[in-house]
Amino acid sequence: MILDLALIAMIAAVLIPLYTAWKTGDIWQTMLAFSSISTKTAVIILLVSVLRDDWMIGVAGVIILSVGNAGLMLLAQIIKRIEKL
Amino acid sequence: MISLIKLVSYVCIGVGIWFWFWGTLSLLNGRSVLFKLHTLSVGDTLGSILIIFGLLLLRPQEFPLLILAIISLTVWNTMLGYVIAYSSTSDEYDQVIEETLIEESLGRSGRESYE
């Protein structure tokens, strides 16, 4: 029961960067919001795997975390160079 | 009767979620990108580590998996925060360097004319 409430609160916490990513026009604020969304969803996946005691879901969450935000880092470098053109 | 370990884990998860909201709500105000990046990466990293530590207390048999999650979360979130900070401000940083170089070259040429 308590973990279900925690899950609802975490999903509510993910909605804030989703709203920011939708509202803002600045590319760097959007990148901030996306990095926050990716971290939060990975931790939510881990919580769901504890709730269901299904550790294949847990492995997926850990893979997301260990791959990390590599894609976002490369995208940041590309955006930086595009801004210089 | 909730056991002590469950109580500690629920407290860790609760504090972690509070850190999440604290870090994320700063996205809504009109501060600079770096300010938001700082509070966001602190809130996200610290909050997530506390939540995963709370989960670890609930499922100690999954110790290696959750420790790997904590380590990679710590490394990658910090690294991403640095990359975004560097990429989003590199233009101003380059301008500052150019200005200081110009001043130095002017300063040196002025001194040579005196000697």
Side-chain angles (χ1 to χ4, degrees):
Chain A
M1 174 59 189
I2 293 180
L3 285 186
D4 293 332
L5 292 178
L7 184 61
I8 290 167
M10 289 161 95
I11 290 171
V14 171
L15 294 181
I16 299 171
L18 276 174
Y19 168 72
T20 307
W22 164 65
K23 186 184 67 132
T24 184
D26 177 24
I27 184 64
W28 295 112
Q29 312 231 3
T30 312
M31 291 284 285
L32 279 186
F34 284 155
S35 76
S36 177
I37 291 166
S38 75
T39 308
K40 287 186 168 68
T41 42
V43 175
I44 286 174
I45 288 173
L46 286 179
L47 182 78
V48 168
S49 70
V50 165
L51 277 175
R52 296 170 54 94
D53 214 8
D54 176 354
W55 283 93
M56 284 304 112
I57 300 175
V59 166
V62 171
I63 286 173
I64 292 171
L65 280 175
S66 52
V67 166
N69 299 309
L72 275 174
M73 285 187 215
L74 296 176
L75 185 58
Q77 297 291 341
I78 291 169
I79 291 170
K80 185 183 86 168
R81 279 169 175 71
I82 285 175
E83 277 184 344
K84 285 195 172 183
L85 295 179
Chain B
M1 179 62 193
I2 286 188
S3 70
L4 182 62
I5 282 206
K6 274 205 169 181
L7 184 67
V8 170
S9 76
Y10 291 149
V11 167
C12 280
I13 292 172
V15 172
I17 292 173
W18 180 81
F19 265 113
W20 269 18
F21 277 102
W22 171 75
T24 312
L25 285 175
S26 76
L27 270 179
L28 299 176
N29 59 31
R31 302 290 291 263
S32 73
V33 173
L34 287 184
F35 177 85
K36 292 182 180 183
L37 177 65
H38 174 65
T39 48
L40 199 62
S41 54
V42 167
D44 263 2
T45 311
L46 215 56
S48 304
I49 288 173
L50 274 171
I51 291 170
I52 296 177
F53 181 71
L55 298 179
L56 190 62
L57 294 177
L58 287 178
R59 289 292 184 278
Q61 72 269 16
E62 298 300 336
F63 188 83
L65 201 62
L66 293 174
I67 286 293
L68 174 63
I70 288 179
I71 291 169
S72 47
L73 182 80
T74 311
V75 170
W76 279 118
N77 253 18
T78 318
M79 192 84 67
L80 178 65
Y82 169 75
V83 168
I84 289 185
Y86 169 70
S87 304
S88 63
T89 58
S90 65
D91 293 340
E92 295 139 29
Y93 187 67
D94 293 347
Q95 266 168 350
V96 167
I97 286 183
E98 275 165 28
E99 281 156 17
T100 45
L101 287 178
I102 291 167
E103 280 162 19
E104 276 174 15
S105 59
L106 286 178
R108 203 175 305 124
S109 60
R111 207 174 309 120
E112 275 156 10
S113 63
Y114 280 125
E115 283 156 8

